[in-house]
Amino acid sequence: MINFTEIELSLLLQNTTYFLPSPTMAKTLSKPTSILFMLFTIFFFSTYVTADEAPVFSKNLPPSSLGLNQQKLSHLHFYFHDIVSGPKPTAVRVAQAATTNKSATGFGAVAVIDDPLTLLPENTSKVVGQAQGIYTLASQSEAALLMVLNLAFTEGEYNGSTLSVLGRNTVFSTVREMPIVGGSGVFRFARGYAQAKTYTFDTKSGDAVVEYNVYVLHY
């Protein structure tokens, strides 16, 4: 519905007469009648337009309306480089609890990462993406990370697309499995899982290379 300001009402009141077309003649209306007629006309048409264009909160759509056809299963294989040492670390601690340094598991430490993903385990290998997000040491009894990150790919048909990981990573387990909870680009509506396996871990520097196998269903 249209709401009138004081100025708009004042302009309406300044008009003394209005003319209503009829089949035989133009009838001059009195001032009160003309104003009422004008307000009724505006109200009627604004209500009609508003009702016709009323926003819809939700509706069902066929997958084909978004170009979604048959799902496919993709397997991605790469190496995740978590570098905490040196002048340009890719994983940086940004927060910790008052008791973190006294914890045997580092409980409460939070790190932000921008880790390169490479085709081969060497750090000179071709970069196919970045792992960007956060992980935190979330267990008081073992070295277990809560991983919240995006795998942002820069290679081939996956360039510009992402996969989102949200899961538990017990870093000293041989193989860790974490859910893929979504994605973007060619990975819209994605779901699946990632398996992580430590390839190398430097106990002095804390740097690690982790092999990832990702299995994802997407359109």
Side-chain angles (χ1 to χ4, degrees):
M1 181 183 294
I2 295 176
N3 295 318
F4 291 100
T5 64
E6 292 183 2
I7 295 175
E8 290 169 332
L9 287 174
S10 176
L11 290 173
L12 282 174
L13 292 172
Q14 290 175 13
N15 296 290
T16 57
T17 61
Y18 292 89
F19 295 95
L20 176 67
S22 69
T24 57
M25 63 180 293
K27 182 187 295 182
T28 302
L29 300 177
S30 64
K31 179 179 179 180
T33 303
S34 64
I35 293 174
L36 287 174
F37 174 76
M38 178 64 77
L39 291 174
F40 174 78
T41 302
I42 295 174
F43 171 81
F44 176 80
F45 284 106
S46 65
T47 303
Y48 175 79
V49 171
T50 302
D52 186 56
E53 299 177 357
V56 177
F57 175 66
S58 67
K59 60 182 177 179
N60 294 325
L61 295 173
S64 58
S65 67
L66 293 178
L68 305 177
N69 299 307
Q70 187 175 357
Q71 281 191 322
K72 56 185 175 182
L73 175 64
S74 293
H75 172 215
L76 292 83
H77 178 257
F78 51 84
Y79 291 86
F80 173 110
H81 296 257
D82 195 55
I83 304 167
V84 298
S85 66
K88 293 185 66 176
T90 62
V92 178
R93 182 176 293 193
V94 294
Q96 65 181 44
T99 57
T100 294
N101 291 334
K102 299 178 182 179
S103 170
T105 62
F107 178 67
V110 180
V112 174
I113 67 169
D114 184 16
D115 288 349
L117 309 176
T118 61
L119 191 61
L120 297 173
E122 294 77 22
N123 58 12
T124 56
S125 177
K126 183 176 184 178
V127 175
V128 297
Q130 301 290 134
Q132 298 172 330
I134 62 173
Y135 59 69
T136 179
L137 286 155
S139 174
Q140 298 186 71
S141 59
E142 61 180 328
L145 300 173
L146 168 63
M147 307 283 285
V148 184
L149 56 91
N150 291 315
L151 302 173
F153 298 103
T154 57
E155 177 63 19
E157 65 178 303
Y158 303 131
N159 183 24
S161 298
T162 66
L163 287 172
S164 297
V165 179
L166 174 63
R168 185 172 186 261
N169 183 354
T170 51
V171 295
F172 292 124
S173 297
T174 302
V175 178
R176 292 86 72 185
E177 184 173 301
M178 292 166 283
I180 300 294
V181 297
S184 66
V186 299
F187 293 124
R188 292 172 184 167
F189 298 100
R191 66 186 189 278
Y193 64 96
Q195 289 183 326
K197 182 179 180 180
T198 301
Y199 184 81
T200 60
F201 176 65
D202 189 323
T203 56
K204 293 183 178 179
S205 66
D207 296 346
V209 177
V210 182
E211 181 181 13
Y212 268 75
N213 281 286
V214 177
Y215 300 89
V216 59
L217 280 169
H218 61 103
Y219 288 95

